[in-house]
Amino acid sequence: MNTVQYPWEADFYDPKLFDCGAGNADEEKVLSLYISVFGKNPQRILDIGCGTGRSGLAFSRAGHNVHGIDISPVMLESLKLKIKKSTDLRASLTYEVMNLLDLDEKYKSRFDAASGVGDVLTHFLTIHTLEDALRKIYMALKPSGVFITDLTGRNLKRLKIAASNYPKPLYAYPVVSGYINQGVNHFVTMQEFEEYNVDTGLVLSHQRYEIIDEIGTVAETFYKTIRQRLYKPDEISKIAVNIGFTTQIFSRESLSGKAKLKTGYLLVMKKDE
């Protein structure tokens, strides 16, 4: 697979695109699974890759105290504005610019729980960095603390196509969601094609977004590329167990009941007492 390497991770996430929920129509249902695992008693939660607060705000509204970390200052500025406007938060929500791998000893045993919503672990592109990330989470949790994360299921036929030579199909998502800019409703459409390296497990998604105003005019066009490593749940679980976690793997369908979630997994990792 020939792929031009460039630092897309630094500027991939755009607050308005992120908040449109591109590719994640199940978001509210997935967050409800997290909240059900956290339980009713207030928890101190480390929200990893918190972004603009879609997960952290939901956890705070459920009564949990949340501290979010994210590598993107722009995303956290958006979260700051949301917190100021929110009137329904039941607990604290703080945040800071930080890479999980930079978490130091001052965070040791500070949290009852940690969350990694939306394929967070797929952004650690090697087994080594994944292990480092899980060790940081283990360090930050109190004894018996729980880390919860999810993995989206991947269509094997689509991956086979992504691993093949060009030309490749372009996938289109007609209207992802909308947002308001200067009092005008805007909608977002998304198109993408993918590359997949079977040997490294890396998927590259090359994405094009169009911002469309209420009269159908394309106001802006964005091009983004994101790189992720596809891990199997058992692969992550094995590393977590070696670190000291007790792990459970659930299919999202088995937990969702009538919610009809997309294929995927919820991983629950508990630190030893």
Side-chain angles (χ1 to χ4, degrees), residues 192-212:
E192 69 174 340
F193 72 91
E194 296 173 322
E195 298 176 85
Y196 177 49
N197 187 313
V198 177
D199 296 326
T200 64
L202 293 182
V203 170
L204 285 83
S205 176
H206 304 282
Q207 302 174 355
R208 175 186 177 183
Y209 295 89
E210 290 186 336
I211 311 297
I212 302 172

Side-chain angles (χ1 to χ4, degrees), residues 15 18-20 27 50-55 57 61 75-89 93:
F18 191 78
D19 284 341
C20 285
E27 178 184 290
C50 64
T52 64
R54 294 191 298 181
S55 53
L57 289 164
R61 288 174 182 134
M75 298 286 273
L76 293 179
E77 278 298 311
S78 178
L79 172 56
K80 180 180 179 180
L81 294 175
K82 288 183 181 181
I83 293 173
K84 286 184 177 180
K85 294 179 181 179
S86 296
T87 59
D88 57 349
L89 300 184
L93 175 52

Side-chain angles (χ1 to χ4, degrees), residues 70-208:
D70 200 283
I71 63 172
S72 170
V74 176
M75 298 286 273
L76 293 179
E77 278 298 311
S78 178
L79 172 56
K80 180 180 179 180
L81 294 175
K82 288 183 181 181
I83 293 173
K84 286 184 177 180
K85 294 179 181 179
S86 296
T87 59
D88 57 349
L89 300 184
R90 295 173 51 201
S92 67
L93 175 52
T94 57
Y95 55 88
E96 65 180 312
V97 178
M98 178 176 286
N99 189 317
L100 173 62
L101 298 178
D102 295 327
L103 218 62
D104 58 29
E105 288 293 315
K106 74 178 182 180
Y107 294 92
K108 187 174 182 178
S109 300
R110 279 185 54 183
F111 299 95
D112 303 298
S115 60
V117 180
D119 284 329
V120 160
L121 294 183
T122 66
H123 298 289
F124 298 97
L125 303 179
T126 67
I127 293 293
H128 177 71
T129 54
L130 173 63
E131 181 177 350
D132 286 348
L134 290 174
R135 288 189 183 280
K136 292 290 186 179
I137 296 168
Y138 189 89
M139 179 268 294
L141 289 172
K142 296 177 182 178
S144 299
V146 174
F147 170 51
I148 310 170
T149 191
D150 60 276
L151 292 173
T152 302
R154 293 282 181 165
N155 183 295
L156 295 180
K157 181 179 179 181
R158 182 161 163 169
L159 281 178
K160 184 176 180 180
I161 293 172
S164 65
N165 295 326
Y166 286 91
K168 297 179 183 292
L170 187 67
Y171 301 100
Y173 307 89
V175 177
V176 177
S177 185
Y179 73 101
I180 297 175
N181 181 25
Q182 297 181 345
V184 178
N185 288 320
H186 288 72
F187 298 91
V188 179
T189 65
M190 173 185 166
Q191 297 174 318
E192 69 174 340
F193 72 91
E194 296 173 322
E195 298 176 85
Y196 177 49
N197 187 313
V198 177
D199 296 326
T200 64
L202 293 182
V203 170
L204 285 83
S205 176
H206 304 282
Q207 302 174 355
R208 175 186 177 183

